[in-house]
Amino acid sequence: MSGVQRSDGPRPSLEEIIAAQVRAHREAAGISAAELASRIGLSKAMISKIESATISASLSTLARLAEGLDIPVTALLRGVDSDRDASFTKAGAGSRSVRSGTQHGHEYRVLGTLKDMPDALEPTLVTLTDASAVFPLFQHSGTEFLYLLSGRMVYGHGAYSYDMEPGDSLLLDGEGPHGPRELVDVPVVFLSVRSTKS
């Protein structure tokens, strides 16, 4: 099973979303289906059908429901446009990524990606061991955030060096040449979160 999981369950229909919202708002207001029906001039059977998602309510019926519940019409549609891409990665999982440091003993595990989002972040777990003898420099558009989880290293950005210990973080401009300069205590494990916007 892949470490990156997405929710692929069936999406609720528009009728199911409206049904849940009508029922929730009616119960929160402390009124029965019969009371709501009486308030807005519909039958109790019609309210029951709307709340069981067996019929599609017209726009005028939605307006009457909203008025009877003393809520905006948009409250009945809350959740319609809530389906968004998400990426979940179990501990120890994540897809391995080949980068310029891979051939020198660097391990990169991408912890999640979002489809069709050019400005998404790219979180990567980086592991450096005593086999990581060569430290390539990286340059890219956007920014990068590093958070050291274990070990100790000296990380360079441009002309500056940062002695990083667990809990230390570094936010940098990706255009400046950057990368590890010295591994002081291995293995070094850090989280790199890079913006992918070009």
Side-chain angles (χ1 to χ4, degrees):
M1 184 170 113
S2 169
V4 177
Q5 302 171 23
R6 287 185 172 81
S7 175
D8 294 321
R11 298 177 185 175
S13 67
L14 179 59
E15 290 78 12
E16 290 169 329
I17 290 169
I18 291 170
Q21 292 295 345
V22 169
R23 190 179 321 106
H25 286 290
R26 179 179 59 73
E27 290 173 353
I31 60 175
S32 67
E35 285 177 274
L36 178 58
S38 176
R39 276 188 193 183
I40 63 175
L42 292 177
S43 67
K44 182 184 172 192
M46 177 63 86
I47 298 295
S48 178
K49 287 178 181 178
I50 291 170
E51 289 193 0
S52 62
T54 54
I55 64 164
S56 295
S58 67
L59 290 177
S60 60
T61 300
L62 289 178
R64 289 161 73 180
L65 284 166
E67 186 177 341
L69 293 167
D70 195 27
I71 57 172
V73 174
T74 54
L76 297 176
L77 302 174
R78 196 165 291 138
V80 171
D81 194 29
S82 63
D83 188 38
R84 292 288 184 262
D85 196 18
S87 178
F88 173 71
T89 304
K90 292 292 286 181
S95 59
R96 286 192 177 177
S97 173
V98 176
R99 300 187 183 176
S100 58
T102 304
Q103 61 187 346
H104 303 296
H106 301 202
E107 181 182 281
Y108 306 93
R109 283 194 180 267
V110 177
L111 300 180
T113 57
L114 295 178
K115 303 174 289 183
D116 304 321
M117 295 189 72
D119 58 348
L121 299 176
E122 182 183 271
T124 304
L125 189 66
V126 182
T127 303
L128 308 176
T129 65
D130 51 10
S132 308
V134 178
F135 308 117
L137 290 178
F138 302 95
Q139 283 183 279
H140 54 82
S141 61
T143 56
E144 185 169 356
F145 174 78
L146 308 176
Y147 183 85
L148 192 64
L149 297 167
S150 64
R152 187 176 158 202
M153 70 174 171
V154 177
Y155 198 90
H157 179 246
Y160 298 93
S161 293
Y162 303 90
D163 189 350
M164 299 185 69
E165 298 179 333
D168 291 347
S169 61
L170 177 63
L171 178 64
L172 55 87
D173 178 347
E175 297 281 353
H178 57 278
R181 288 187 175 156
E182 180 186 354
L183 302 184
V184 180
D185 183 16
V186 292
V188 171
V189 181
F190 63 93
L191 178 66
S192 163
V193 182
R194 192 171 92 172
S195 66
T196 58
K197 191 170 185 175
S198 55

